[in-house]
Amino acid sequence: MTVTHPSDPYNEVAPASLPAVTAPSRRTGEEDASVVSARPGRRWNWLLGLIVPVGLAVGWEIAVAAGLGDGRLLPPPSKIIATLSALAATGELLSHIVATLCRVALGFVFGVLAGTFLGALTGYSTLARALLDPTLQALRAIPSIAWVPVFILWFGIFETSKVILIAVGVFFPIYLALSGAILGVDRKLVEVARIFRFSGPEMVWRVLLPATLPAYVIALRAGLGLGWMFVVAAEFMGASEGLGFLLVDGQMTGRPQTVLASIAVFAVLGKLTDWLLAQGSLRFLRWQDGFNPTA
Amino acid sequence: MLTLSNLSKRYSNGHLALSGIDLSVGPGEILGVVGGSGCGKSTLLRLISGLETPSDGRIEIGGSPVSGPRDEVGFVFQEPRLMPWLSIDDNVAFGIRHLAREERDVRVREALVRVGLAGFAGHWPRELSGGMAQRAALARALVGRPQILLLDEPFSALDALTRNDLQEHLLDLWAYDRPTMVLVTHDIEEALALSDRIVVMQPAPGRVQVTVTPPLSRPRDRASLEFQEWKRHLLAELHHSFVRPARQGDERFPAAAI
Ligand SMILES: Nc1ncnc2c1ncn2[C@@H]1O[C@H](COP(=O)(O)OP(=O)(O)O)[C@@H](O)[C@H]1O
Ligand SMILES: [Mg+2]
């Protein structure tokens, strides 16, 4: 029918639609090109984050060199780097780092184990929750630094009290996040496990923990952050090595460059361990839609 | 196979969801349960599955009383309820975790082939469409070879085309091991297409209004006159169930309100 009527609008549109058909493919080509060009841009994005700190460091370096700033109380980067390499050359830096890392690692492990166990228990069992949660919440209300004198009295001035203090700091975010997240697990998934007659431990291990893993990883990272915070407090309370000791030592002996050097090492180690934790958890969270733990 | 006697369920909030249910389902029988929303269909299945405990009455499977979930009972929910952190094959293996690894792998592969998901073993649940996810849920329920399969409106969240497809597919799956099936649905056509016998329930409190055995031959032809006639008949019955309590003067409603 349309063919017999030359004035039919469809006939007039038909030839015009030809370029329209090719248009999408051209557009796809453009998109491909933009994706390709965007990729290196994204890869170097992290460099953007370096502009401000590096700029400040260079600015300060120049200001001190030009005599515009006091390099004694706030030493320029070159002096901090020199301090670090001097410490590294004697092997001192490494032993301080190792001492601090060991304390954080031990405290973190104990804090995580206790937080995970008690968090899972109180999240899973109503009885355990009624029994333990009020006490733990009350303990949480105590500023953790207030434990320092108590721990020194109980466990002495050496490693035990330090590790325990760090573990206490790590414990609470993990306990809180896990028990809360377990209470929030979808009851419908729990029912599936009940249909298949999962035992209590099976339920925790195969349903509740995986379901709460995203919240758990965030809690681990928060706990690790607190671990780094508390290792400084622990090393302030008397230590003969460790980055916190270096910090206090620098202050006592009036060497700000040593103080800043150890702060810089704290920053690098804190960021590095957090990144490792995030990367390590990535493969367990691939099932999640749009989760980006490194963000 | 499955016997319910004088079964009642009152929830802890005092709501009487089911009252005096007597029902018996034979081995390999497909029992359809239809009724409007809120008339206790899900409660009935949850009681049979052992997810809920009855307030009164008895449930027996193969002569032994039900006191909790059992290995020989499978359940397909209205939603797929796949574990989002497990791949499709691990989801299907979820309920046969006690089997040896080789046996488990063989069964999972077989179940995935049967439900038509052979190529999706390694996918995440979020990568599946609603119909595919429900197929995976069917595979998970069937892989343990239950003697009784309970289905709670398993296809009601799917589009009409997928729903029809899965209804026919369910019959194919049933044919392998011929489990006893209790299929809850609010879709009369679904009940008629699949069931040997249909229980119509009425609400407040949930109870059996009527049980019918449509003399339709298999495979069922939904376009046939007989089928359509039965559909009309059941629809009228269902409609009746919602009108009758009021018509007979339910204490809760003053006659003037009708
Ligand atoms: N856990 C519960 N607690 C209290 N009342 C419930 C509960 N589950 C269901 N009910 C009530 O029981 C009645 C039957 O519910 P249900 O079995 O889900 O009906 P159906 O599946 O037929 O829609 C409804 O009135 C509902 O509100
Ligand atoms: Mg229901």
Side-chain angles (χ1 to χ4, degrees):
Chain A
M1 267 240 323
T2 49
V3 184
T4 55
H5 291 275
S7 62
D8 191 287
Y10 291 102
N11 274 350
E12 287 177 10
V13 172
S17 73
L18 271 178
V21 172
T22 54
S25 67
R26 204 190 303 142
R27 211 183 302 131
T28 337
E30 277 166 17
E31 269 165 20
D32 280 354
S34 71
V35 166
V36 170
S37 68
R39 230 176 259 140
R42 233 175 287 133
R43 187 179 304 152
W44 300 112
N45 247 359
W46 62 274
L47 275 179
L48 287 179
L50 285 182
I51 290 177
V52 172
V54 169
L56 283 175
V58 170
W60 184 241
E61 187 75 51
I62 292 170
V64 172
L68 298 172
D70 183 359
R72 215 194 62 79
L73 280 179
L74 184 49
S78 59
K79 207 164 171 192
I80 296 172
I81 292 169
T83 309
L84 280 176
S85 47
L87 282 170
T90 59
E92 249 180 289
L93 183 62
L94 189 66
S95 67
H96 286 313
I97 287 177
V98 168
T100 298
L101 266 181
C102 282
R103 288 173 187 139
V104 173
L106 271 178
F108 185 66
V109 167
F110 287 128
V112 166
L113 287 179
T116 306
F117 176 73
L118 286 173
L121 189 68
T122 55
Y124 177 69
S125 151
T126 323
L127 177 67
R129 189 172 185 78
L131 204 62
L132 297 172
D133 191 60
T135 309
L136 288 169
Q137 296 290 353
L139 287 177
R140 191 174 73 93
I142 301 169
S144 303
I145 304 295
W147 290 111
V148 169
V150 185
F151 287 166
I152 290 180
L153 278 178
W154 288 350
F155 306 111
I157 193 90
F158 300 109
E159 293 308 308
T160 315
S161 57
K162 292 185 178 56
V163 169
I164 289 178
L165 181 68
I166 296 165
V168 167
V170 172
F171 171 82
F172 282 108
I174 290 171
Y175 167 76
L176 271 188
L178 189 57
S179 69
I182 286 181
L183 286 176
V185 169
D186 191 354
R187 190 185 53 84
K188 295 180 169 182
L189 297 183
V190 173
E191 273 182 3
V192 173
R194 280 183 58 206
I195 284 286
F196 289 122
R197 307 185 27 178
F198 276 50
S199 65
E202 275 179 320
M203 183 72 88
V204 169
W205 184 245
R206 303 217 32 198
V207 180
L208 299 180
L209 285 183
T212 52
L213 200 59
Y216 187 63
V217 166
I218 291 170
L220 284 182
R221 294 174 69 185
L224 184 62
L226 283 175
W228 280 107
M229 198 164 119
F230 279 65
V231 78
V232 177
E235 289 177 344
F236 274 4
M237 75 197 197
S240 53
E241 58 175 355
L243 292 167
F245 162 76
L246 199 61
L247 211 66
V248 181
D249 193 48
Q251 184 212 349
M252 298 291 207
T253 54
R255 285 175 301 164
Q257 66 272 31
T258 309
V259 175
L260 286 176
S262 70
I263 287 178
V265 177
F266 267 124
V268 170
L269 286 180
K271 181 70 193 154
L272 192 70
T273 48
D274 181 63
W275 182 81
L276 284 174
L277 195 57
Q279 289 300 315
S281 63
L282 207 53
R283 61 174 295 246
F284 299 106
L285 293 172
R286 265 179 324 191
W287 54 272
Q288 263 207 325
D289 238 342
F291 187 77
N292 185 4
T294 53
Chain B
M1 186 72 229
L2 171 65
T3 315
L4 317 178
S5 31
N6 190 31
L7 190 64
S8 297
K9 174 68 181 178
R10 188 183 288 281
Y11 281 109
S12 51
N13 63 0
H15 183 85
L16 186 61
L18 280 183
S19 167
I21 305 277
D22 288 299
L23 209 59
S24 175
V25 196
E29 187 181 5
I30 304 179
L31 180 79
V33 179
V34 297
S37 118
C39 66
K41 305 184 299 296
S42 297
T43 303
L44 182 69
L45 283 197
R46 295 172 63 82
L47 285 170
I48 299 172
S49 70
L51 283 178
E52 304 275 358
T53 48
S55 329
D56 200 6
R58 283 171 70 82
I59 307 170
E60 286 182 359
I61 290 175
S64 73
V66 170
S67 57
R70 294 174 165 230
D71 287 335
E72 64 264 37
V73 179
F75 205 124
V76 178
F77 297 91
Q78 183 170 351
E79 325 80 19
R81 301 196 184 186
L82 301 174
M83 307 293 143
W85 57 87
L86 294 179
S87 57
I88 296 306
D89 51 352
D90 286 341
N91 260 293
V92 173
F94 195 68
I96 50 171
R97 63 201 183 287
H98 297 312
L99 295 184
R101 196 185 170 88
E102 302 80 51
E103 167 77 357
R104 208 165 53 203
D105 290 349
V106 169
R107 285 232 210 157
V108 168
R109 216 171 309 129
E110 180 192 78
L112 283 175
V113 168
R114 283 185 185 180
V115 299
L117 287 178
F120 292 88
H123 281 59
W124 296 116
R126 64 175 154 86
E127 296 167 332
L128 264 54
S129 69
M132 285 153 76
Q134 198 59 308
R135 282 170 188 271
L138 264 172
R140 178 180 63 190
L142 286 169
V143 74
R145 299 186 185 150
Q147 292 167 29
I148 298 181
L149 183 61
L150 308 173
L151 305 109
D152 190 0
E153 309 202 21
F155 311 133
S156 67
L158 305 175
D159 63 274
L161 220 67
T162 313
R163 186 161 61 223
N164 270 20
D165 183 34
L166 274 179
Q167 285 163 359
E168 297 308 319
H169 199 88
L170 180 62
L171 284 180
D172 298 340
L173 290 172
W174 173 82
Y176 285 104
D177 299 315
R178 298 184 173 254
T180 300
M181 294 210 298
V182 182
L183 170 70
V184 159
T185 176
H186 60 242
D187 177 354
I188 289 175
E189 182 172 317
E190 178 170 291
L192 267 177
L194 301 178
S195 324
D196 298 315
R197 195 158 52 108
I198 297 175
V199 169
V200 180
M201 290 186 63
Q202 63 182 109
R207 67 216 121 119
V208 175
Q209 175 180 325
V210 66
T211 305
V212 294
T213 310
L216 301 169
S217 59
R218 291 185 189 266
R220 297 206 167 143
D221 176 10
R222 297 176 194 224
S224 74
L225 216 62
E226 263 182 310
F227 192 96
Q228 292 300 328
E229 210 156 280
W230 269 95
K231 194 172 156 184
R232 251 193 317 278
H233 171 64
L234 278 176
L235 208 65
E237 198 64 60
L238 207 61
H239 182 66
H240 194 49
S241 80
F242 277 85
V243 177
R244 191 157 62 188
R247 215 197 271 147
Q248 289 179 343
D250 189 313
E251 311 88 75
R252 291 177 308 148
F253 301 109
I258 301 157

